[in-house]
Amino acid sequence: MQNQTAHAHHITDIVKVMNGGIEFYQEAKTKLDDSTYKAFFDRMIGAKAEAVAELQPFAVAQQGEVETDTSNLVKARQAYTKLMSKITSETTTFTYVDQLEEVEDKVLEELDLALERNQTQDCEVTLRRVKVRMKECHDEMKALQVTAQH
């Protein structure tokens, strides 16, 4: 039984990271003027919102309610980015893109941790489906990060 709780608990951790990512992307949209980034960030927000919706039933099963909190790690990255953008405007775009790419890394890490555990079949299928989409988001963000560096 303890093992079952740990699995469900980790689903809420994934949801928290994704919720934090959604908030961070929404903030980045307001801070960066380039419409290309806004459309890109909207796609990332949409993918994460869909993934959260798919994972919420497993979070509810664990804690009895919808998970609405965000990850402290993502909040820290967001605060760092705000600070850096106040210090220098030259690196604002790269700072946002760089930190958002790190959030994408964290999403994949959390999904991998959940998939290493013995999940119920429906949970594992959902996690694998979500991971495919989040890997695509990660790869797109990684490419944007490389472009933003130059």
Side-chain angles (χ1 to χ4, degrees):
M1 191 63 144
Q2 179 183 8
N3 204 11
Q4 188 89 8
T5 302
H7 298 169
H9 176 74
H10 201 78
I11 300 301
T12 61
D13 291 343
I14 295 167
V15 172
K16 287 178 184 180
V17 171
M18 288 190 188
N19 283 341
I22 290 167
E23 285 182 16
F24 200 176
Y25 277 110
Q26 288 170 334
E27 177 187 315
K29 279 178 34 179
T30 67
K31 301 295 183 185
L32 303 179
D33 293 330
D34 190 330
S35 62
T36 304
Y37 289 113
K38 289 180 182 183
F40 182 85
F41 293 166
D42 280 340
R43 283 198 327 271
M44 298 294 126
I45 291 166
K48 295 214 175 359
E50 286 177 18
V52 166
E54 289 181 56
L55 293 170
Q56 281 293 5
F58 302 105
V60 170
Q62 184 260 320
Q63 66 187 9
E65 61 187 26
V66 170
E67 180 57 67
T68 59
D69 201 8
T70 60
S71 162
N72 287 331
L73 176 77
V74 176
K75 288 178 189 175
R77 289 194 179 285
Q78 196 171 4
Y80 167 80
T81 304
K82 282 181 188 177
L83 177 64
M84 291 304 292
S85 67
K86 288 181 184 190
I87 293 172
T88 176
S89 63
E90 295 172 9
T91 60
T92 300
T93 298
F94 177 73
T95 303
Y96 270 99
V97 170
D98 188 53
Q99 292 304 306
L100 285 165
E101 192 278 332
E102 292 294 330
V103 171
E104 295 298 332
D105 287 345
K106 184 66 176 167
V107 167
L108 290 179
E109 179 184 317
E110 294 298 326
L111 285 163
D112 285 341
L113 287 171
L115 285 166
E116 288 173 3
R117 300 197 169 102
N118 186 19
Q119 302 284 4
T120 62
Q121 185 177 4
D122 58 339
C123 183
E124 183 168 341
V125 167
T126 301
L127 286 168
R128 289 192 185 286
R129 185 174 52 243
V130 166
K131 184 178 177 192
V132 168
R133 287 197 320 268
M134 292 305 105
K135 177 76 169 105
E136 290 169 358
C137 289
H138 171 270
D139 293 349
E140 285 185 57
M141 190 50 120
K142 188 69 172 173
L144 186 63
Q145 181 186 36
V146 169
T147 302
Q149 280 178 319
H150 303 298

